[in-house]
Amino acid sequence: MTHAARRMFELLEPICLVTFLADECNEELAALGHRTYWDGYFASRAAPLGRVPAQVVHAAFYNFAEGEAARHIPSAWETIPPEASVAARERGSAASLRRILGDELAGSPGLVRAADLTTKAATHAPTEGRVMYAGMRSLPVPSDPVARLWHSATMLREHRGDGHIAALVGARIGGTEAHVLDALAQGIHPPESFGRLHHLPKERLAAVMDGLRERGLVDSDGRFTDTGRETKRRVEALTDELAAPPYDALSPAELDELVAELEPLTATLVAAGSR
């Protein structure tokens, strides 16, 4: 099932990415009154947790630098109810999928079946220790197939993300450090130029890189050491292992069917860059 979890991540991630890359979601959130992209992002993604303080959002999201959540939470909820932001995120994401997939794929029996099987997997995993996933599980599952596919794929994304955080904590890799390792795994050098890092204060980035060097995870040139590469491999392998339980709800035949139904949908989204 570890292999299946990795394959499902590859197939479902392009569905989830429309939320962050396509225009419709941001337009829906802006129409509510969110001033910036990040106001809408934090308000809509954190909303299933309830009106928790910024410290809780920072802990649950894990990979944002200290103080970033506090710039948006709770101020993004003061005039816009969290429930409205969640609904806007769903509307915009579903609209993006419909536009990118086109009428034929968006209205196909294959998409309906993919939505049904994805929802079956997404609603049958344990919630213990899965804060973001549990929050998503508390929301109603949409009846519209396109929205249901996005919603359930996003539930599985948050489930995987919770497991990934557990793997990082176990490996003593902080959120900013994780971005450095991701950048190196993608062949980005220097890693400080990575989009999730370059805006951070230079002193903060220098301290992170020094810490990784002291632990022997990167070398003096800021590249992977063998130990660093193996640490990253172990984190990803454990992430796949922890992401597998939802798919136990599907029979082998159902899992094969789900992969087959998702493949043409995902190929279309990948070709469009999920935009």
Side-chain angles (χ1 to χ4, degrees), residues 191-208:
E192 298 95 322
S193 66
F194 185 39
R196 296 299 302 275
L197 294 170
H198 70 80
H199 65 288
L200 298 178
K202 291 182 179 179
E203 296 81 6
R204 168 63 177 153
L205 286 175
V208 168

Side-chain angles (χ1 to χ4, degrees), residues 237-255:
L238 181 54
T239 298
D240 286 339
E241 182 180 342
L242 295 174
Y247 305 105
D248 291 337
L250 304 179
S251 69
E254 287 176 324
L255 188 58

Side-chain angles (χ1 to χ4, degrees), residues 252-269:
E254 287 176 324
L255 188 58
D256 288 345
E257 185 182 7
L258 178 55
V259 168
E261 299 295 3
L262 285 173
E263 283 178 339
L265 306 176
T266 300
T268 300
L269 289 163

Side-chain angles (χ1 to χ4, degrees), residues 8-145:
M8 290 305 302
F9 168 68
E10 295 167 349
L11 289 168
L12 293 174
E13 184 70 355
I15 295 170
C16 303
L17 287 180
V18 300
T19 303
F20 315 111
L21 300 179
D23 292 333
E24 286 88 344
C25 185
N26 196 42
E27 289 169 354
E28 287 278 358
L29 290 166
L32 287 181
H34 289 298
R35 300 165 300 167
T36 69
Y37 171 90
W38 289 110
D39 274 352
Y41 172 91
F42 276 93
S44 61
R45 186 178 172 216
L49 301 178
R51 291 178 180 265
V52 296
Q55 295 93 325
V56 174
V57 175
H58 175 72
F61 284 17
Y62 193 73
N63 60 356
F64 285 88
E66 193 70 38
E68 288 189 320
R71 287 202 287 270
H72 309 280
I73 298 298
S75 61
W77 292 332
E78 288 175 353
T79 57
I80 303 165
E83 297 79 8
S85 296
V86 168
R89 182 173 73 148
E90 179 186 302
R91 286 195 305 272
S93 299
S96 296
L97 287 177
R98 290 190 191 94
R99 172 179 56 79
I100 297 168
L101 293 175
D103 292 341
E104 184 174 351
L105 280 176
S108 67
L111 183 140
V112 174
R113 183 60 173 158
D116 290 345
L117 291 173
T118 302
T119 302
K120 182 177 180 180
T123 55
H124 284 84
T127 57
E128 290 81 1
R130 311 277 184 161
V131 174
M132 293 301 299
Y133 170 65
M136 281 293 296
R137 277 282 298 270
S138 72
L139 302 178
V141 177
S143 58
D144 172 74

Side-chain angles (χ1 to χ4, degrees), residues 178-189 191 194-196 224 232:
H179 287 316
V180 173
L181 300 188
D182 279 345
L184 292 174
Q186 294 176 48
I188 298 171
H189 191 268
F194 185 39
R196 296 299 302 275
F224 265 140
K232 174 64 171 170

